[in-house]
Amino acid sequence: MSEIRDWKLVETNLGRSEQIPYEVAVLPIGATEAHNLHLPYGTDSYQVEAVAERACERAWQQGAEVLLLPTITVGVNENTLGFPWTLSYKPTTILQILRDTVSCLEQHRLMKLLILNGHGGNELKPFLRELFRETDVQIVLVDWWTVDPEGFETIFDEPGEHGGEMETSVMLHLRPELVEMERADEGATREPHFTGMKQGWAWIARPWDRLTYNSGVGNPRSATAEKGEQFVERCTSKIATLLVEMAHESLDDWYPYEAD
Ligand SMILES: [Zn+2]
């Protein structure tokens, strides 16, 4: 039996793909950035790709003909470039990449797309609004780590935001050989002066090298591979369900709502 996974574009071939009426494309987008001192630069990309792969595999087993596109491995990191070797595409660059990708899907008449995001700096809602009238491709957006708020709250003592307990746990589950726990600091941050920022209603694109000490936000010490596995499993199964529903939804004038 072939090892080739028909749902993974970079793996399959023209001979196989011609036989399959793909219904939903999945586009993971991550980042390449410092994650405290102990996690790989590719953390967000590894995570989102693994979640996307597992969700696609599960959806495929449930009869949904999904097609996983190659991961975009650089994200919007303009405000975190103060740390060495972090890479960044500007939001307008990401828009062009998404626009070109969507246009290819339209060319191939694959008209449903799930964008699976793995990096907080990739705020992609404006792009869905930007493309709304430009394309007939129906786009759904998911930030993978937000799909299971209950698991997020209950599995972790203090999930953290960047290189903290949640992300470290997930990496201990997915790629333990790339985690150097002994290097990690406690992920402390500096307090802003503005009251509105302390209360959370005044926003800035936080300059990461002033906010953090070694790029981490949140203490990774209580991370375990088991917590990571549990969280990834919960998120993956919900995303797989979404893919199955998207695959079955007909692209009529009422998509994705119930007709009158
Ligand atoms: Zn991250």
Side-chain angles (χ1 to χ4, degrees):
M1 206 176 123
S2 170
E3 295 279 299
I4 295 170
R5 295 173 287 184
D6 283 299
W7 47 264
K8 190 166 179 179
L9 179 58
V10 296
E11 233 172 67
T12 192
N13 55 51
L14 179 60
R16 299 177 77 97
S17 69
E18 278 181 333
Q19 324 277 328
I20 299 170
Y22 290 109
E23 294 160 308
V24 183
V26 179
L27 177 64
I29 174 165
T32 300
E33 59 171 336
H35 266 77
N36 200 323
L37 295 161
H38 66 294
L39 292 182
Y41 279 85
T43 291
D44 290 354
S45 300
Y46 283 127
Q47 290 177 353
V48 75
E49 186 162 300
V51 168
E53 282 192 356
R54 292 176 188 198
C56 283
E57 182 166 39
R58 200 176 292 210
W60 184 270
Q61 286 161 355
Q62 292 171 44
E65 279 156 333
V66 296
L67 183 62
L68 178 62
L69 307 179
T71 303
I72 299 170
T73 54
V74 175
V76 177
N77 279 88
E78 292 298 299
N79 59 320
T80 70
L81 285 169
F83 288 103
W85 314 118
T86 290
L87 301 179
S88 179
Y89 291 157
K90 290 181 192 297
T92 45
T93 310
I94 300 274
L95 170 62
Q96 294 309 330
I97 293 169
L98 293 182
R99 178 175 274 145
D100 288 355
T101 306
V102 166
S103 153
C104 294
L105 293 177
E106 195 149 13
Q107 157 86 22
H108 301 307
R109 305 307 295 165
L110 181 43
M111 304 305 282
K112 299 176 203 165
L113 169 64
L114 172 66
I115 298 177
L116 192 62
N117 177 39
H119 167 60
N122 297 338
E123 290 166 311
L124 304 179
K125 282 184 191 171
F127 305 150
L128 271 65
R129 297 184 196 277
E130 181 80 19
L131 296 177
F132 192 83
R133 289 187 297 120
E134 273 183 36
T135 179
D136 290 328
V137 174
Q138 301 296 319
I139 310 173
V140 175
L141 172 65
V142 170
D143 292 333
W144 79 262
W145 70 95
T146 67
V147 309
D148 182 37
E150 194 191 317
F152 192 79
E153 290 302 320
T154 56
I155 294 169
F156 306 107
D157 304 328
E158 200 192 311
E161 186 184 341
H162 187 78
E165 185 189 346
M166 185 279 274
E167 285 199 309
T168 302
S169 296
V170 171
M171 289 308 285
L172 284 170
H173 166 52
L174 296 177
R175 300 299 299 265
E177 74 283 10
L178 300 181
V179 179
E180 293 193 311
M181 261 333 278
E182 64 284 0
R183 291 189 187 275
D185 78 7
E186 61 279 12
T189 55
R190 297 183 181 89
E191 275 296 300
H193 285 149
F194 302 151
T195 310
M197 283 179 67
K198 287 182 193 159
Q199 293 175 348
W201 50 267
W203 189 86
I204 64 167
R206 294 167 295 174
W208 221 250
D209 50 333
R210 291 177 233 162
L211 169 71
T212 71
Y213 294 86
N214 293 298
S215 83
V217 178
N219 195 333
R221 296 278 172 224
S222 45
T224 67
E226 292 67 34
K227 291 178 184 176
E229 183 177 10
Q230 236 186 309
F231 188 57
V232 167
E233 165 61 27
R234 289 173 64 131
C235 294
T236 299
S237 82
K238 290 174 107 170
I239 295 165
T241 301
L242 171 64
L243 287 172
V244 172
E245 289 172 348
M246 286 176 71
H248 293 160
E249 187 72 16
S250 63
L251 277 171
D252 57 21
D253 291 346
W254 292 96
Y255 175 98
Y257 297 100
E258 211 169 291
D260 283 346

